[in-house]
Structures are given as C-alpha cells and as structure tokens.
Amino acid sequence: MGIGPISLDQVGVAQTLPVPAGKAPMTTWHVSTGGQVATALLCIRRLGRQTAFVSTVGDDEAATQVLAPLAAAGVDTSRVRTVRGAATQRAMIWVDAGSGERTVLWQRDTALTLSGADAPLALVAEAGLLLIDGGDPEASLPAAREAREHGVPVVMDADGDGPAVDELLALSDFPIVSGDWASQRWGSAESAVHALAAQGATLAVVTQGRHGAVAAGAATPLLHAPALRIQPVDTTGAGDAFHGAFCDAVLGGAGAEEALRFSNAVAGLNCLHLGAQAGLPTRQTVESALEADVQA
C-alpha cells in the first residue's frame, strides 16, 4: 500500500526550451495523470500485485480524471479522501524533445495535506509493504512506525528536505533518494547510501537517471547498477516507476542486484512514452527488455 500524492499533469514538448522571459513553440501538448506514489502503485499493479492507495483529491473534475486509471487497473482507491472546496494537485511539465528530460512545476492545495487520521494503521499492519514520501509526515510517520512494529518493510521516495524527513528516513528499510538531493545533502550518491546504511537501512538507493542507480546496505557492499539502454521520449515518472518496480522486487524476495536491474528496466521503459504513466510496463515486457539488453 502507499500513502502520498496524485496529480493531473499537463505536459508540453518543445524542441528547445526557452530561456527565462523567452518563448518557444510546442510540438506536443498532453494531459495525463501522475503523482509520485500514485504512479508507483499503478506500476506495481501493472506488474500483477494488489495495491491500495491513501491520498486526497479535490471536489473537481480533475479528481475523476486522475483516479480513473487507478480504478481501471484495479488499485484500491477506497481510502482516497475528497476535500470539499479544494483543487486536485496539478503540475505543468516541460519536456526537451532532444533529450527527453523534463522540468516540473507543481501546485498542491494545503487543504490536501494528509493528517494522522488518514493513516489506516490496521491496514498498514497487514500490508506486504508500505510506500511513503516526504510530503505528508502527519500520516506517513504513524504509518511507518506501525509498519516497523509489525515487520512490514517501508520504502521511501525521498527527494528533498521537509518536516520529519530525517525521522522518516530512519524508519525506512529501503530509502530511495534522488541523485540531485543526494549530492546537495551528502555530497555524492556514494556518501548518501553509506550514510543511510549506517542508520540501519536494509538497502539505501540513489537514482541517477541515465546513469542508473547506486546502492548500499547494512549488509550489502556498494553497488552500481546501469540504466537500461534507451533513447527517452519523456523522463516524467521515471523515478516513480523505479520505486514501484523496486517495491515489487522487495515483495518478490529479490536480491539487491536483481532488484536494481529490474527497477532500472521498468524506469527506462516508462521513458519511452509521453507522461508519467503511459509507459508503465507489464512483467512480460520488462523480462523481454532485460533479455534484449543483455544480448545487445
């Protein structure tokens, strides 16, 4: 199960992104669904596992749009709360057509922030795994504590400082940190995973986009896992897909190297389509891509 945001994304693609105060024509304009935890849970569901989502949406048309793909895939959205008078989270995403790299601007109504009452502790205690991020600590902290008490592994999507982020990291068995934040806070990806492993993480991971991922754990030496060899169309949601795939690997009992290889492949495949969720692959697609990558 996962606790975190869901978003309506507006994605624009341009051959050249403008400088500040400049202008540039778009080649494509696309409206899609996203959100870190929502996309990761949809990824897990596409890979064949049951998932439940805890989040909030506004009482607007966007709420129907963002929840529809999850409901259609069979994600349990019964614990998504509608906040009267609020607008569902939105993002504007600009994609460079040449590299596929994206730039994100997002807005979340403060009324959408999850509270401690939103954390379904009984469900957490029975879950196979808990996925959290740093955006809703009032809900994520009690959920992570409950998970730790019942031996439920906790995976955290961490990409910046915020309230209680250090406590959430300490409660996470598998903290997954973005490369940019790892460099800003710890100086390097390697320093980040070693520091988190020293705190007791089973396996700490830093995602590095086209450079793959770096990981280390309390009982696992430093690992460097290469990315899937692809030409990305849009990197939006790549990290979220990685998190979802990693959760699947943990649930399947995969070892560290296997989990990283699988997660990098899922992230890469998701970059072959526009938007955060359109490219989320099935297990068969991932296995075929990994086999082809080995033979290439």
Side-chain angles (χ1 to χ4, degrees), residues 23-185:
K23 296 181 180 180
M26 289 187 294
T27 58
T28 307
W29 178 253
H30 179 69
V31 178
S32 61
T33 52
Q36 298 96 294
V37 174
T39 300
L41 290 176
L42 183 57
C43 175
I44 299 167
R45 183 69 190 126
R46 290 263 174 89
L47 293 169
R49 298 190 188 276
Q50 297 297 317
T51 56
F53 185 37
V54 179
S55 189
T56 50
V57 292
D59 58 348
D60 51 11
E61 183 180 345
T64 302
Q65 290 177 266
V66 297
L67 290 173
L70 301 184
V75 175
D76 180 356
T77 59
S78 62
R79 294 168 185 82
V80 176
R81 177 166 57 87
T82 299
V83 180
R84 301 297 177 191
T88 298
Q89 179 173 319
R90 286 167 169 78
M92 297 186 68
I93 301 171
W94 304 105
V95 179
D96 177 84
S99 66
E101 291 293 342
R102 90 291 184 267
T103 300
V104 181
L105 298 171
W106 58 273
Q107 188 274 333
R108 189 188 192 197
D109 192 323
T110 56
L112 297 177
T113 304
L114 292 160
S115 70
D118 290 307
L121 300 185
L123 181 64
V124 170
E126 298 176 354
L129 178 146
L130 173 66
L131 173 64
I132 58 174
D133 70 358
D136 294 284
E138 289 187 18
S140 296
L141 274 173
R145 294 186 191 114
E146 188 76 5
R148 177 61 62 91
E149 183 177 338
H150 289 85
V152 175
V154 178
V155 176
M156 183 181 179
D157 169 4
D159 65 357
D161 290 308
V165 67
D166 289 317
E167 188 174 357
L168 288 168
L169 286 169
L171 287 167
S172 300
D173 302 283
F174 302 97
I176 303 177
V177 178
S178 67
D180 287 343
W181 189 48
S183 295
Q184 291 168 13
R185 178 161 181 178

Side-chain angles (χ1 to χ4, degrees), residues 255-295:
E257 291 187 63
E258 181 185 355
L260 293 174
R261 183 168 178 262
F262 182 77
S263 301
N264 278 333
V266 172
L269 290 169
N270 198 44
C271 293
L272 297 177
H273 298 263
L274 194 63
Q277 298 177 356
L280 294 172
T282 63
R283 191 174 302 279
Q284 182 177 358
T285 301
V286 181
E287 290 171 354
S288 297
L290 284 170
E291 184 178 350
D293 196 54
V294 168
Q295 295 175 353

